[in-house]
Amino acid sequence: MEEMGMTDNQWKDNLRTQLENWEEVEELLDSGKTEDAKKKIEKIKARIKKGLED
């Protein structure tokens, strides 16, 4: 079976999610919550790695 790629809307939704994640990391860093920012970054990386395995 042929695998279908993402639609434009799916791609944009993915980018919106990534942008929101990084904006949250930026806010955490700006407020001095570096440990919370590191935890968020680890979650983002884990989600990306899982997506690459699928």
Side-chain angles (χ1 to χ4, degrees):
M1 178 183 276
E2 232 178 280
E3 188 173 322
M4 294 190 58
M6 294 174 70
T7 66
D8 285 346
N9 285 338
Q10 288 171 320
W11 178 247
K12 287 178 183 177
D13 285 342
N14 181 283
L15 290 176
R16 280 186 202 99
T17 300
Q18 291 298 321
L19 178 60
E20 289 170 2
N21 285 331
W22 290 113
E23 286 172 340
E24 185 178 340
V25 170
E26 184 177 36
E27 289 171 8
L28 289 168
L29 291 172
D30 286 345
S31 65
K33 298 179 180 177
T34 56
E35 288 303 314
D36 290 338
K38 287 180 185 178
K39 289 177 188 176
K40 181 69 177 183
I41 290 168
E42 288 303 317
K43 286 180 184 178
I44 294 167
K45 287 171 42 179
R47 196 175 314 127
I48 291 169
K49 286 177 185 176
K50 184 179 182 327
L52 292 172
E53 291 173 357
D54 291 342

